Amino acid sequence: MSTPQTDLLTLWTLISQAGGRRAYVDNQLKERGYLVERRDADAMTDRERDQYKKELKREAAERKTLDRQAWTAYKAANIVHLGDGIFWSDDNKPDKWDTPNAVERAAENELPALDTPLQLAEALGLTVADLRAMTYHRDAATMLHYVRFTIPKRDGEPRPIWAPLPRLKAAQRWVLHNIAERLPVHGAAQGFLAGRSILTNAAVHTGSQVLVKMDVEQFFPTITWRRVKGLFRRAGYRESISTLLALLCTESPREIVELEGKKYFVALGPRCLPQGAPTSPALTNALCLRFDRRLAALALKAGWRYSRYADDLTFSLPEGAPDCAPDGLIRTVTKIAAAEGLAIKESKTRVIRLGRRQTVTGLVVNGLAAPRTPRKLRRELRAALFNLNAGKPLPEGETLARLQGYAAYVSMTDPKLGRHYLDALAKVNFD
């Protein structure tokens, strides 16, 4: 059973086969007997001229109807426009910016073949109109495809999270699983990858005489939609598909303002990777491939070890290696970051030597033993279990789910101890 959408797509196929909208309309006018042969009106009698004018008006009315139908069909299969500041052309011919051997490169990474907006929309389970709505950019929007909230950072500052609404989130998850996760990343990247975690990240740096920890400032907001589009272009996609994919995965940082009783979400800068979109971590890993290569080469040359977990950069000098002052390393890393369009947050840079507790992504790495959770956390968990078994209530703000999360965290580095805590918590009776 056909639907209005399929009818429009069928019509667009006919229009394309006819050679475009104008050719299609002319053909239809001729077939339906509306196309009037142009003649010299001055040589006509008054009666002939009146009849000629009626025929022209009849043709014009039918042409207007056919033009409207053809335009509706065109919009059902084409994007047309994506808002201010976004270059768009429905002409999908090859251009000089296409990656050489693009088809072969995409095939090597097992990326889906996407040549037109209609193919992308169908892959996402959307219509072209839906896809256009999800990617359309407005500097002052009255509605967004995101919900904004904040969570506290480690230093107490609020971290803005832009969580995509369900339909956009589903589209982003398709991009994540079918494209973003298949792009090449460096071995030093430890976050948001199958088989890698905060534990594998910390394990790189056990037995360190010097540990250097650095943070990239405003990591996701630094990655603009144009950089994301460039990533998709290098992956083998053409301009139009790369533009749509980049817009699907980005949004402008915005401020909410009210004007005459109406709420507006006003863009504060270019679209960038939102903290909260499922695609953002994987895209940053792929975009940091050259950055990670440069830092890994720098570390190897100087005898350091290097890993990156999201925006956390960690360098370590193994015990027994020739002592090396970290100042030069820090300066060079800062220069490399700037060359890659990133910035190091100086206030977060830490140099930790032997004799002090060394932690990497929250795990203690002192000595040659495997990374482990901080002793303070294990003591607090043990004390909470003791109090619960003694019938004492949980402290204000503490929950059983939170304690179970801590126990699972311990289990990651010490499965036996973590299992003991989880079993003990499962036996707690609050009646």
Side-chain angles (χ1 to χ4, degrees):
M1 185 176 183
S2 66
T3 65
Q5 176 67 16
T6 56
D7 289 344
L8 287 172
L9 293 177
T10 300
L11 176 57
W12 177 245
T13 300
L14 296 174
I15 293 171
S16 300
Q17 291 171 349
R21 284 182 288 155
R22 185 179 182 85
Y24 170 80
V25 170
D26 287 342
N27 289 343
Q28 288 296 305
L29 289 171
K30 187 175 182 180
E31 288 179 11
R32 299 179 188 188
Y34 286 93
L35 192 63
V36 179
E37 182 181 350
R38 268 44 179 181
R39 307 189 300 275
D40 183 5
D42 292 337
M44 299 177 186
T45 65
D46 290 344
R47 186 174 182 177
E48 289 173 334
R49 189 180 297 111
D50 288 342
Q51 181 62 30
Y52 183 56
K53 288 180 179 179
K54 288 179 181 179
E55 291 174 353
L56 289 176
K57 286 182 179 179
R58 185 166 166 264
E59 179 196 306
E62 186 67 12
R63 182 182 291 277
K64 185 176 181 180
T65 299
L66 289 168
D67 278 336
R68 184 165 55 247
Q69 292 172 351
W71 176 245
T72 303
Y74 178 84
K75 289 194 296 181
N78 295 273
I79 291 296
V80 185
H81 183 51
L82 285 173
D84 294 339
I86 308 295
F87 169 78
W88 178 263
S89 172
D90 283 308
D91 181 358
N92 197 40
K93 294 178 181 177
D95 63 39
K96 65 178 181 179
W97 304 111
D98 285 339
T99 299
N101 304 316
V103 175
E104 292 82 355
R105 176 172 291 195
E108 285 176 4
N109 292 322
E110 300 182 347
L111 302 183
L114 300 170
D115 295 319
T116 67
L118 180 57
Q119 285 180 329
L120 175 59
E122 289 176 343
L124 296 172
L126 304 171
T127 65
V128 170
D130 292 332
L131 181 59
R132 185 189 306 117
M134 283 186 182
T135 54
Y136 199 94
H137 176 77
R138 291 179 176 86
D139 286 335
T142 55
M143 61 83 66
L144 289 181
H145 297 284
Y146 291 84
V147 174
R148 183 184 186 277
F149 58 92
T150 62
I151 59 174
K153 296 181 182 180
R154 282 177 292 182
D155 57 8
E157 292 183 10
R159 183 193 301 277
I161 303 295
W162 291 89
L165 295 177
R167 293 192 78 194
L168 176 59
K169 188 173 185 177
Q172 290 176 341
R173 286 197 179 281
W174 187 93
V175 175
L176 171 66
H177 298 314
N178 291 278
I179 300 177
E181 288 182 337
R182 300 181 183 185
L183 299 176
V185 299
H186 195 272
Q190 298 292 334
F192 312 103
L193 292 164
R196 306 185 200 181
S197 63
I198 61 172
L199 179 58
T200 61
N201 184 54
V204 175
H205 305 285
T206 57
S208 301
Q209 60 175 304
V210 183
L211 192 68
V212 177
K213 298 163 65 174
M214 308 174 76
D215 275 15
V216 177
E217 190 167 13
Q218 295 291 308
F219 191 41
F220 285 168
T222 301
I223 309 298
T224 64
W225 79 273
R226 294 184 185 280
R227 295 180 70 174
V228 178
K229 183 175 82 167
L231 176 68
F232 289 125
R233 295 224 69 180
R234 290 193 298 276
Y237 289 118
R238 289 183 179 167
E239 171 76 16
S240 59
I241 295 300
S242 297
T243 298
L244 290 169
L245 290 172
L247 293 173
L248 271 176
C249 299
T250 58
E251 180 53 271
S252 292
R254 294 180 182 269
E255 184 173 325
I256 302 173
V257 300
E258 286 197 15
L259 180 64
E260 298 179 352
K262 196 169 186 179
K263 184 184 292 186
Y264 292 90
F265 301 90
V266 180
L268 302 178
R271 296 174 74 100
C272 57
L273 293 179
Q275 184 110 22
T279 42
S280 294
L283 290 174
T284 53
N285 278 339
L287 280 159
C288 283
L289 177 60
R290 188 174 65 179
F291 181 54
D292 288 333
R293 280 175 176 165
R294 296 181 68 179
L295 294 186
L298 169 69
L300 181 63
K301 185 177 180 180
W304 293 79
R305 299 172 294 191
Y306 164 67
S307 70
R308 179 182 58 80
Y309 190 95
D311 58 351
D312 293 335
L313 314 179
T314 307
F315 297 84
S316 62
L317 195 63
E319 289 185 37
D323 196 6
C324 180
D327 294 351
L329 174 77
I330 294 171
R331 284 194 298 270
T332 306
V333 170
T334 302
K335 289 179 181 178
I336 291 174
E340 295 294 327
L342 304 170
I344 299 298
K345 194 169 185 177
E346 293 182 11
S347 61
K348 289 289 189 73
T349 299
R350 299 285 184 271
V351 178
I352 308 168
R353 298 183 178 276
L354 277 175
R356 295 173 57 197
R357 191 180 72 168
Q358 298 174 331
T359 61
V360 176
T361 44
L363 299 176
V364 178
V365 295
N366 291 78
L368 296 176
R372 55 248 179 233
T373 52
R375 187 178 303 167
K376 180 182 177 183
L377 174 66
R378 299 195 299 273
R379 285 176 175 170
E380 290 176 350
L381 188 54
R382 189 164 60 246
L385 275 169
F386 178 83
N387 290 333
L388 285 171
N389 289 326
K392 296 181 180 179
L394 289 172
E396 185 178 352
E398 190 61 271
T399 64
L400 182 61
R402 186 183 178 93
L403 294 176
Q404 288 171 330
Y406 287 147
Y409 182 45
V410 172
S411 182
M412 179 180 60
T413 60
D414 190 335
K416 184 177 180 181
L417 180 60
R419 186 73 261 166
H420 167 73
Y421 287 147
L422 287 169
D423 290 343
L425 287 168
K427 295 175 183 177
V428 172
N429 188 354
F430 284 96
D431 295 335

